[in-house]
Structures are given as C-alpha cells and as structure tokens.
Amino acid sequence: MNAMQLRYSPPDEAPVQLSLEKSTTYALGNSRSADLWINEPTVARRHASLQVRDGGVYIEAKASRYPVRLNGEVVRHAGPLAAGDEIRLGDANTIHLESQLPPIADELTPQTKESEYPSAGSDHETPDPELCRQLQEAIGQSLDLYRRNVLETLSPEELRAEAKTTAEAIIKRGGLVLPEEVSSEDLIGYVVAETVGLGPIETLLQDSAVSEIMVNGHDRIFIEREGRIEASPFRFSSAHSLSQVLDRIISPIGRRLDEGSPLVDARLPDGSRVNAVIPPLSLNGPVVTIRRFQDDHLDLSALTESQALNAEMALFLKSCIEKHRNLLISGGTGTGKTTLLNALSACISRSERIITIEDSAELKLQQEHVITLESRPANIEGSGEITIRDLVRNALRMRPDRILIGECRGGEALDMLQAMNTGHDGSLTTAHANTPRDALARLEVMALMAGMDLPARAIKEQIASAIDVIVQLSRMPDGSRKVVAITEVDGMEGERILLNERFVFDAESGHRSTGSFT
C-alpha cells in the first residue's frame, strides 16, 4: 500500500498531520486518547475509525448522533479511500487524505482483497451455478473432502489453501473449460468459499454494519443494516452448497440438522447466533438467520451517546444495579435487550460471583468471576436435554451473588421469581413484550407454564415482590433503538400490580423516531 497521511487544520491552530501505517486502526474523535483529536462539540469521543489494510484505507462511523461525511456524502462504512478524499466529522473542519504516490485504489488486486467474495456493497453477480457445481465436484473428488480423516488432519486455513491450489490446477490442466467472459479468479474464490468456508456469508460477516443475515433459500439473501432490511447481491450457487455450509457450522458444536431434527440453534466462532430451518418444515429450502453482536462492548455512556437513553436515565439504571434491584428488560425482537443487559452488567462489582444462563451464550461480561451456563437440546435418541429451567435451579446451588438469564421464555420464569425473592437480589433477565404492563402479564403466563397449580394472585404477588424495575425498549422506524420507558413496580392494590413510570420517551408529533425523554 502506498504511504498515506491525514491532514487536519483545527480552528486558529497549526495543522495536524497523522501518518498512516499498515495493519493499524486509528481512532478519530473528541477524546485526548484518540489518534486524531478533534476538539469540537459535534464530534463524539470516538466518532470514527480508520483501518489501514493491505488493500487500502477504510473508514467506519462509530457515532450515530452526528454523521461522518466522505466527499460530502454521509457514510457508515467506505473504502478503499484515495488521495484527495475529504472526511468531515460532525461540524468540524475537513480532514484531508493525502499522498504523493498513486491512489491506494490502484493497488487493489484480487490477491489483496480481504475476502474471496466481492465487498458487501458490490453488485458483482455470482458465477454460473452449473460451473460452480462442476468445479465443486472436481475439488471434492481430488481432495476427497468427504473423508473424515482429511477434515481432521487439516486446519481450516490449510484446507482452504489446498482447495484453492487444487481448483487452480483443475482449470489449468483443462479439467474444466471456462467461457471467455468468466474470470477464473472470481470462480475459484466463490467455489473455494462454498466448498470449505461459509460461502457468501463470509463477506457479510466482515461488514460490521450488518447486524442480521437472513438466507431465504440458496438464491435469496437479505441483511439488516442500521436497523433496516435490504436485499443482498450475494447468493449460494445451489441448495447443496448451502447445506454443506450449514453442516460446517453445526458439526463442531455437536448439533445435527436433518429430517429428524429440522431445527437447530448454533453459534459461529465470533459469537454470532445462528438459527436454521430446513425442509420439510421450510418450503423455501434451507433458511438461515444469523444474529450478529457488536465486537465493541457498549456501556451506558456509549448508549447515552447514541441517544438510546439520556444521562439521567443511565444514572438511575446504574444506581439500580449498584443497589441490587431486580431488573426486567422488555422489548420486541431486535430492540437491543441483550445489548442493554451487557451494558448494565458492566456496573456490577467485580467482587461478586455472577452466573449467566442462556440458550446460546451471547452475554459478554467484563468481570473475572463469571460462570456461563448454556442449555442443551436433546440428542439423536431424544434424551440428554438440559433446559433453562434446569440451569436456573442448579444455579441456586452454586452460591451466586447475581443470576443473569439471557431470556425467559417458559416455566423458568417461576424459578427466576423465586430466586429473586430468596436472597438473590440484583438479578437481571429479558423477556419479549411490547409494554411494561404486557411484560408483567407475560411473566404471569410463563410462570403458569411451570406446571404448578398456583392461583393467579399468588403469582402476581411473586412478580410484584421480585421485580423492582422494568426497562422497556423499542426499535424506531429509522432503525434506532431507544429505552422508551423505565417503570418501577410499586406492589399490589387488590388484584392489580401497581406501576410507576420514572422515565418515558415522548415522541414528537408525527415522528416516532424523534422526541425527548421525560
């Protein structure tokens, strides 16, 4: 990569120059610890980052309140940048990217691409499916990929390199004749990724702006970016290729996906949650949903900066955690319940013993004394299942100071309420509900699912005594997530649980996404 530098001219001060080095990430923002300090009110503490790779310089926006502009256009992710590009954070002066050598973009060759697939924003089309199938079969026959001893003796990197070398040799010796308009490099890249990797999912996972990947059959892929769903130009070459990728995802964790067990929950090495459904349950072919999680651990200050809540609300929630109040985080799918639970967990004292219980481990606590428990589905014989409820019961015997349940979905709600009422104050959990009142009603229904013949009033008393605060989240039409209500539980009056709204988000007239916290 050619030598590049940033030049920034602060108001009434001498220009600042920052030389960019390879394989380095630079922070830009209104923090003295940033690599480029921009002391301007509309610039966040960590407003953007620059990543210098072999293929060029890439910019990524980190703040949501004020935009990042590249050559006058608002961007979230962009690159590779070229000499002469102008970057502007908030209302600060322009940052210039300079070089005395040819632009970085001139050096972007197939060998320096970060992935074998094109970038997530590319309109590049998948090579001909029939060519992909033929080359896949040829690679499989040459490497005997279906022999277990080959898979066990080669690392993923070695297997990928071997598959690529084999594919190049097959084409070179004429084992597969390509039409003139087909690039052998593009074809090999796609086929190798599908044969030994995750196919087009690999590139989508590299885009940190993509929060959800939805594969609706092998030929249709959708993504969620900044809260909005959009179609992706990528697709698998065949249903068989997609099935092979699914096998590579679930095999390492001991799960299975076949007609006898057509549903599976799994996770990728980076922690992303995977759900897959195959025929006969799915009429669209294999359907895969991948929920990604932020690499950066967000705390309450970061959520305040992104306007998910205000400083007063953050201080109140921090106080609730420090005073061992029991919190229920409520919201719909994709509203940020797990993100907020992670942020709140940062306020827990490092001297406490914390036990987390989840279906698929997603929480990333920063404390040292954390025990992570994960449920287990039944095996091929239908036995060996360990439910969330089993884990909650067992956690009570593990001397916890706090219990964090990723999500209550069933009878474990009753065990959680009993734990909160028997000395395990400061516990946290999440549940799906649209309002705080709905959250209480759903807790009541889930407690009844435990199979205990309890009167409704007894369950309501348990809820009113156990839950101290309900935090309601919502996803706005513009894709942003907000804490729309913080509600205290104030006991019971007759058969009704009393609620007291401490904070609420008042949307502006005609605009659900904008408003103020009161």
Side-chain angles (χ1 to χ4, degrees):
M1 189 198 78
N2 296 326
M4 305 290 288
Q5 69 176 15
L6 295 179
R7 181 172 58 84
Y8 170 62
S9 299
D12 303 322
E13 294 183 23
V16 177
Q17 293 184 341
L18 176 64
S19 298
L20 304 181
E21 298 179 0
K22 289 183 179 180
S23 305
T24 306
T25 298
Y26 296 89
L28 283 59
N30 191 358
S31 170
R32 289 188 177 274
S33 62
D35 298 290
L36 182 60
W37 178 37
I38 304 175
N39 189 16
E40 211 282 335
T42 61
V43 176
R45 289 177 56 82
R46 191 184 179 197
H47 203 110
S49 68
L50 282 180
Q51 298 178 0
V52 186
R53 311 171 188 166
D54 288 339
V57 180
Y58 294 76
I59 189 168
E60 177 180 356
K62 295 294 185 181
S64 59
R65 184 173 183 180
Y66 296 103
V68 173
R69 289 184 173 86
L70 176 64
N71 299 326
E73 295 185 3
V74 176
V75 298
R76 293 292 299 174
H77 301 265
L81 308 186
D85 283 346
E86 297 181 345
I87 302 168
R88 191 174 185 186
L89 310 186
D91 295 331
N93 287 355
T94 301
I95 303 169
H96 298 272
L97 185 64
E98 300 178 335
S99 175
Q100 295 181 351
L101 300 175
I104 293 176
D106 293 343
E107 292 192 352
L108 185 61
T109 63
Q111 287 72 29
T112 59
K113 288 180 181 177
E114 187 169 325
S115 169
E116 300 289 356
Y117 273 79
S119 63
S122 169
D123 58 0
H124 189 97
E125 297 183 354
T126 304
D128 179 65
E130 180 59 24
L131 283 175
C132 291
R133 184 191 65 78
Q134 293 177 14
L135 185 54
Q136 276 184 316
E137 290 181 354
I139 294 174
Q141 293 172 1
S142 178
L143 291 181
D144 196 8
L145 290 177
Y146 304 103
R147 283 174 47 195
R148 185 169 296 275
N149 63 335
V150 173
L151 294 176
E152 291 177 349
T153 55
L154 295 179
S155 69
E157 294 77 15
E158 292 171 335
L159 187 58
R160 183 183 290 269
E162 188 67 26
K164 185 176 182 180
T165 301
T166 301
E168 291 171 347
I170 291 171
I171 294 177
K172 186 175 182 180
R173 68 170 179 260
L176 182 65
V177 180
L178 304 183
E180 292 183 359
E181 67 274 11
V182 175
S183 166
S184 62
E185 292 178 347
D186 287 345
L187 178 63
I188 291 173
Y190 271 88
V191 171
V192 168
E194 286 193 342
T195 305
V196 298
L198 300 181
I201 293 176
E202 291 183 2
T203 295
L204 296 174
L205 288 173
Q206 290 172 1
D207 187 348
S208 59
V210 174
S211 56
E212 198 113 19
I213 302 171
M214 295 153 278
V215 182
N216 300 351
H218 75 279
D219 56 351
R220 300 190 72 188
I221 300 179
F222 292 84
I223 60 175
E224 182 186 75
R225 192 195 304 271
E226 299 179 359
R228 297 180 181 274
I229 294 178
E230 59 188 66
S232 166
F234 298 105
R235 62 189 175 94
F236 287 86
S237 61
S238 65
H240 178 67
S241 293
L242 175 54
S243 298
Q244 286 183 315
V245 168
L246 283 175
D247 288 339
R248 285 192 287 276
I249 290 174
I250 66 174
S251 295
I253 58 175
R255 305 286 171 90
R256 67 188 184 95
L257 188 63
D258 51 36
E259 289 190 4
S261 180
L263 297 169
V264 71
D265 285 311
R267 66 175 180 271
L268 298 176
D270 66 356
S272 298
R273 185 178 67 197
V274 180
N275 174 268
V277 186
I278 63 171
L281 299 187
S282 168
L283 302 184
N284 300 79
V287 174
V288 187
T289 308
I290 301 176
R291 169 73 59 83
R292 300 192 60 207
F293 300 95
Q294 291 285 343
D295 296 331
D296 297 334
H297 184 80
L298 297 179
D299 55 14
L300 287 176
S301 62
L303 294 179
T304 302
E305 188 175 277
S306 66
Q307 295 187 306
L309 69 170
N310 64 17
E312 190 178 357
M313 297 164 71
L315 184 62
F316 176 80
L317 292 177
K318 183 175 184 292
S319 177
C320 288
I321 298 297
E322 293 173 346
K323 293 180 179 179
H324 286 75
R325 299 293 188 259
N326 294 322
L327 268 65
L328 171 64
I329 301 172
S330 168
T333 300
T335 54
K337 299 186 295 298
T338 302
T339 299
L340 180 60
L341 185 56
N342 265 322
L344 292 175
S345 70
C347 303
I348 299 175
S349 170
R350 293 185 175 274
S351 64
E352 298 185 53
R353 177 177 171 87
I354 307 169
I355 296 180
T356 68
I357 300 171
E358 301 172 88
D359 271 330
S360 181
E362 300 169 4
L363 295 175
K364 298 178 181 178
L365 275 63
Q366 305 302 302
Q367 292 82 352
E368 294 181 3
H369 201 164
V370 177
I371 308 300
T372 302
L373 303 180
E374 188 177 62
S375 64
R376 185 180 69 184
N379 60 21
I380 193 170
E381 290 84 17
S383 61
E385 181 182 17
I386 304 295
T387 65
I388 292 289
R389 190 176 185 190
D390 296 329
L391 295 177
V392 173
R393 289 175 175 175
N394 189 76
L396 300 178
R397 306 184 183 100
M398 299 174 67
R399 201 268 178 210
D401 288 312
R402 298 186 194 244
I403 299 175
L404 275 61
I405 304 176
E407 182 181 347
C408 276
R409 294 190 181 96
E412 66 271 7
L414 181 61
D415 299 281
M416 179 203 68
L417 294 173
Q418 291 177 334
M420 290 178 172
N421 280 321
T422 55
H424 299 92
D425 295 332
S427 296
L428 295 89
T429 187
T430 74
H432 280 80
N434 294 326
T435 67
R437 179 67 65 182
D438 289 346
L440 295 180
R442 187 150 190 268
L443 269 184
E444 185 177 348
V445 171
M446 290 189 292
L448 290 171
M449 293 169 64
M452 306 291 289
D453 190 14
L454 296 174
R457 180 176 177 84
I459 294 177
K460 287 182 178 179
E461 289 176 346
Q462 286 278 311
I463 294 173
S465 177
I467 304 297
D468 296 311
V469 176
I470 302 172
V471 184
Q472 184 68 40
L473 295 167
S474 182
R475 181 166 56 179
M476 302 291 109
D478 65 355
S480 63
R481 278 81 166 172
K482 292 186 184 296
V483 177
V484 295
I486 298 179
T487 306
E488 289 183 315
V489 179
D490 284 346
M492 289 188 63
E493 186 177 83
E495 297 291 327
R496 185 177 177 84
I497 299 176
L498 299 178
L499 298 180
N500 174 34
E501 283 189 340
R502 288 294 299 265
F503 300 92
V504 64
F505 176 74
D506 291 327
E508 293 180 357
S509 178
H511 299 276
R512 284 184 55 202
S513 301
T514 57
S516 59
F517 298 104
T518 59

